[in-house]
mmCIF file of all heavy atoms in Angstrom:
data_model
loop_
_atom_site.group_PDB
_atom_site.id
_atom_site.type_symbol
_atom_site.label_atom_id
_atom_site.label_comp_id
_atom_site.label_asym_id
_atom_site.label_seq_id
_atom_site.Cartn_x
_atom_site.Cartn_y
_atom_site.Cartn_z
ATOM 1 N N GLU A 44 -18.173 -28.098 96.451
ATOM 2 C CA GLU A 44 -18.206 -28.699 97.782
ATOM 3 C C GLU A 44 -16.987 -29.591 97.965
ATOM 4 O O GLU A 44 -16.274 -29.908 97.005
ATOM 5 C CB GLU A 44 -19.490 -29.492 97.952
ATOM 6 C CG GLU A 44 -20.727 -28.632 97.880
ATOM 7 C CD GLU A 44 -22.016 -29.422 97.981
ATOM 8 O OE1 GLU A 44 -21.970 -30.630 98.273
ATOM 9 O OE2 GLU A 44 -23.074 -28.822 97.750
ATOM 10 N N LYS A 45 -16.768 -30.006 99.198
ATOM 11 C CA LYS A 45 -15.577 -30.795 99.542
ATOM 12 C C LYS A 45 -15.421 -32.029 98.649
ATOM 13 O O LYS A 45 -14.343 -32.270 98.106
ATOM 14 C CB LYS A 45 -15.642 -31.216 101.014
ATOM 15 C CG LYS A 45 -14.419 -31.973 101.469
ATOM 16 C CD LYS A 45 -14.498 -32.335 102.940
ATOM 17 C CE LYS A 45 -13.247 -33.094 103.337
ATOM 18 N NZ LYS A 45 -13.262 -33.498 104.731
ATOM 19 N N GLY A 46 -16.463 -32.806 98.492
ATOM 20 C CA GLY A 46 -16.390 -34.014 97.681
ATOM 21 C C GLY A 46 -16.100 -33.721 96.218
ATOM 22 O O GLY A 46 -15.368 -34.464 95.560
ATOM 23 N N GLN A 47 -16.652 -32.625 95.724
ATOM 24 C CA GLN A 47 -16.416 -32.241 94.337
ATOM 25 C C GLN A 47 -14.962 -31.835 94.117
ATOM 26 O O GLN A 47 -14.350 -32.180 93.107
ATOM 27 C CB GLN A 47 -17.349 -31.097 93.942
ATOM 28 C CG GLN A 47 -18.806 -31.481 93.936
ATOM 29 C CD GLN A 47 -19.721 -30.291 93.792
ATOM 30 O OE1 GLN A 47 -19.463 -29.219 94.342
ATOM 31 N NE2 GLN A 47 -20.810 -30.475 93.047
ATOM 32 N N VAL A 48 -14.414 -31.111 95.078
ATOM 33 C CA VAL A 48 -13.010 -30.705 95.003
ATOM 34 C C VAL A 48 -12.106 -31.934 95.060
ATOM 35 O O VAL A 48 -11.178 -32.075 94.254
ATOM 36 C CB VAL A 48 -12.655 -29.707 96.135
ATOM 37 C CG1 VAL A 48 -11.153 -29.532 96.276
ATOM 38 C CG2 VAL A 48 -13.337 -28.373 95.886
ATOM 39 N N GLU A 49 -12.382 -32.830 95.989
ATOM 40 C CA GLU A 49 -11.555 -34.037 96.118
ATOM 41 C C GLU A 49 -11.603 -34.879 94.845
ATOM 42 O O GLU A 49 -10.575 -35.393 94.397
ATOM 43 C CB GLU A 49 -12.013 -34.861 97.324
ATOM 44 C CG GLU A 49 -11.712 -34.190 98.641
ATOM 45 C CD GLU A 49 -12.361 -34.885 99.830
ATOM 46 O OE1 GLU A 49 -13.163 -35.827 99.632
ATOM 47 O OE2 GLU A 49 -12.062 -34.474 100.956
ATOM 48 N N TYR A 50 -12.775 -35.007 94.257
ATOM 49 C CA TYR A 50 -12.937 -35.787 93.027
ATOM 50 C C TYR A 50 -12.153 -35.147 91.878
ATOM 51 O O TYR A 50 -11.445 -35.822 91.126
ATOM 52 C CB TYR A 50 -14.423 -35.897 92.685
ATOM 53 C CG TYR A 50 -14.728 -36.773 91.504
ATOM 54 C CD1 TYR A 50 -14.659 -38.158 91.603
ATOM 55 C CD2 TYR A 50 -15.078 -36.221 90.282
ATOM 56 C CE1 TYR A 50 -14.944 -38.972 90.521
ATOM 57 C CE2 TYR A 50 -15.367 -37.018 89.192
ATOM 58 C CZ TYR A 50 -15.296 -38.395 89.316
ATOM 59 O OH TYR A 50 -15.566 -39.195 88.237
ATOM 60 N N ALA A 51 -12.258 -33.816 91.755
ATOM 61 C CA ALA A 51 -11.539 -33.102 90.693
ATOM 62 C C ALA A 51 -10.026 -33.233 90.879
ATOM 63 O O ALA A 51 -9.298 -33.491 89.916
ATOM 64 C CB ALA A 51 -11.957 -31.634 90.685
ATOM 65 N N LEU A 52 -9.559 -33.072 92.107
ATOM 66 C CA LEU A 52 -8.122 -33.204 92.371
ATOM 67 C C LEU A 52 -7.630 -34.615 92.064
ATOM 68 O O LEU A 52 -6.556 -34.790 91.476
ATOM 69 C CB LEU A 52 -7.801 -32.835 93.823
ATOM 70 C CG LEU A 52 -7.957 -31.355 94.182
ATOM 71 C CD1 LEU A 52 -7.806 -31.155 95.682
ATOM 72 C CD2 LEU A 52 -6.961 -30.494 93.406
ATOM 73 N N ARG A 53 -8.404 -35.605 92.432
ATOM 74 C CA ARG A 53 -8.018 -36.995 92.158
ATOM 75 C C ARG A 53 -7.930 -37.252 90.649
ATOM 76 O O ARG A 53 -6.957 -37.829 90.161
ATOM 77 C CB ARG A 53 -9.004 -37.966 92.822
ATOM 78 C CG ARG A 53 -8.645 -39.423 92.652
ATOM 79 C CD ARG A 53 -9.500 -40.376 93.489
ATOM 80 N NE ARG A 53 -10.920 -40.070 93.493
ATOM 81 C CZ ARG A 53 -11.585 -39.547 94.536
ATOM 82 N NH1 ARG A 53 -10.960 -39.297 95.657
ATOM 83 N NH2 ARG A 53 -12.887 -39.312 94.460
ATOM 84 N N ASN A 54 -8.929 -36.798 89.902
ATOM 85 C CA ASN A 54 -8.931 -37.007 88.452
ATOM 86 C C ASN A 54 -7.779 -36.281 87.772
ATOM 87 O O ASN A 54 -7.118 -36.834 86.887
ATOM 88 C CB ASN A 54 -10.258 -36.569 87.843
ATOM 89 C CG ASN A 54 -11.385 -37.508 88.182
ATOM 90 O OD1 ASN A 54 -11.171 -38.633 88.608
ATOM 91 N ND2 ASN A 54 -12.599 -37.031 88.004
ATOM 92 N N LEU A 55 -7.533 -35.039 88.167
ATOM 93 C CA LEU A 55 -6.449 -34.270 87.560
ATOM 94 C C LEU A 55 -5.082 -34.830 87.941
ATOM 95 O O LEU A 55 -4.148 -34.801 87.130
ATOM 96 C CB LEU A 55 -6.573 -32.794 87.941
ATOM 97 C CG LEU A 55 -7.777 -32.072 87.335
ATOM 98 C CD1 LEU A 55 -7.969 -30.710 87.988
ATOM 99 C CD2 LEU A 55 -7.635 -31.945 85.828
ATOM 100 N N THR A 56 -4.974 -35.364 89.151
ATOM 101 C CA THR A 56 -3.721 -36.019 89.560
ATOM 102 C C THR A 56 -3.504 -37.283 88.741
ATOM 103 O O THR A 56 -2.402 -37.529 88.232
ATOM 104 C CB THR A 56 -3.745 -36.350 91.066
ATOM 105 O OG1 THR A 56 -3.892 -35.125 91.811
ATOM 106 C CG2 THR A 56 -2.474 -37.048 91.504
ATOM 107 N N ASN A 57 -4.545 -38.092 88.598
ATOM 108 C CA ASN A 57 -4.439 -39.322 87.808
ATOM 109 C C ASN A 57 -4.092 -39.035 86.346
ATOM 110 O O ASN A 57 -3.404 -39.834 85.699
ATOM 111 C CB ASN A 57 -5.723 -40.142 87.889
ATOM 112 C CG ASN A 57 -5.928 -40.765 89.250
ATOM 113 O OD1 ASN A 57 -4.982 -40.943 90.018
ATOM 114 N ND2 ASN A 57 -7.166 -41.094 89.566
ATOM 115 N N ALA A 58 -4.550 -37.890 85.830
ATOM 116 C CA ALA A 58 -4.257 -37.513 84.451
ATOM 117 C C ALA A 58 -2.859 -36.905 84.312
ATOM 118 O O ALA A 58 -2.387 -36.677 83.209
ATOM 119 C CB ALA A 58 -5.302 -36.521 83.946
ATOM 120 N N GLY A 59 -2.201 -36.636 85.456
ATOM 121 C CA GLY A 59 -0.854 -36.081 85.424
ATOM 122 C C GLY A 59 -0.802 -34.575 85.254
ATOM 123 O O GLY A 59 0.271 -34.003 85.074
ATOM 124 N N TRP A 60 -1.948 -33.913 85.314
ATOM 125 C CA TRP A 60 -1.989 -32.466 85.118
ATOM 126 C C TRP A 60 -1.562 -31.717 86.379
ATOM 127 O O TRP A 60 -1.085 -30.594 86.295
ATOM 128 C CB TRP A 60 -3.382 -32.025 84.701
ATOM 129 C CG TRP A 60 -3.772 -32.479 83.330
ATOM 130 C CD1 TRP A 60 -3.383 -33.631 82.690
ATOM 131 C CD2 TRP A 60 -4.627 -31.814 82.423
ATOM 132 N NE1 TRP A 60 -3.949 -33.709 81.457
ATOM 133 C CE2 TRP A 60 -4.738 -32.600 81.259
ATOM 134 C CE3 TRP A 60 -5.338 -30.639 82.488
ATOM 135 C CZ2 TRP A 60 -5.501 -32.229 80.165
ATOM 136 C CZ3 TRP A 60 -6.123 -30.274 81.397
ATOM 137 C CH2 TRP A 60 -6.188 -31.057 80.252
ATOM 138 N N ILE A 61 -1.791 -32.317 87.550
ATOM 139 C CA ILE A 61 -1.366 -31.743 88.827
ATOM 140 C C ILE A 61 -0.674 -32.830 89.631
ATOM 141 O O ILE A 61 -0.782 -34.020 89.311
ATOM 142 C CB ILE A 61 -2.543 -31.143 89.633
ATOM 143 C CG1 ILE A 61 -3.542 -32.225 90.046
ATOM 144 C CG2 ILE A 61 -3.227 -30.024 88.846
ATOM 145 C CD1 ILE A 61 -4.643 -31.726 90.982
ATOM 146 N N THR A 62 0.026 -32.421 90.680
ATOM 147 C CA THR A 62 0.672 -33.380 91.564
ATOM 148 C C THR A 62 0.471 -32.927 93.007
ATOM 149 O O THR A 62 0.390 -31.720 93.276
ATOM 150 C CB THR A 62 2.170 -33.523 91.239
ATOM 151 O OG1 THR A 62 2.725 -34.575 92.013
ATOM 152 C CG2 THR A 62 2.944 -32.253 91.523
ATOM 153 N N GLN A 63 0.369 -33.895 93.901
ATOM 154 C CA GLN A 63 0.240 -33.575 95.324
ATOM 155 C C GLN A 63 1.644 -33.473 95.897
ATOM 156 O O GLN A 63 2.434 -34.419 95.812
ATOM 157 C CB GLN A 63 -0.565 -34.647 96.053
ATOM 158 C CG GLN A 63 -0.846 -34.277 97.491
ATOM 159 C CD GLN A 63 -1.795 -35.252 98.175
ATOM 160 O OE1 GLN A 63 -2.241 -36.224 97.588
ATOM 161 N NE2 GLN A 63 -2.108 -34.975 99.422
ATOM 162 N N LEU A 64 1.959 -32.324 96.474
ATOM 163 C CA LEU A 64 3.309 -32.077 96.974
ATOM 164 C C LEU A 64 3.561 -32.644 98.356
ATOM 165 O O LEU A 64 4.698 -32.983 98.681
ATOM 166 C CB LEU A 64 3.604 -30.573 96.981
ATOM 167 C CG LEU A 64 3.598 -29.896 95.609
ATOM 168 C CD1 LEU A 64 3.824 -28.404 95.765
ATOM 169 C CD2 LEU A 64 4.656 -30.509 94.712
#
Side-chain angles (χ1 to χ4, degrees):
E44 297 177 9
K45 183 178 180 181
Q47 295 170 322
V48 166
E49 291 171 353
Y50 185 75
L52 291 172
R53 183 171 43 253
N54 288 343
L55 292 169
T56 299
N57 290 338
W60 291 32
I61 64 173
T62 187
Q63 186 173 1
L64 297 177

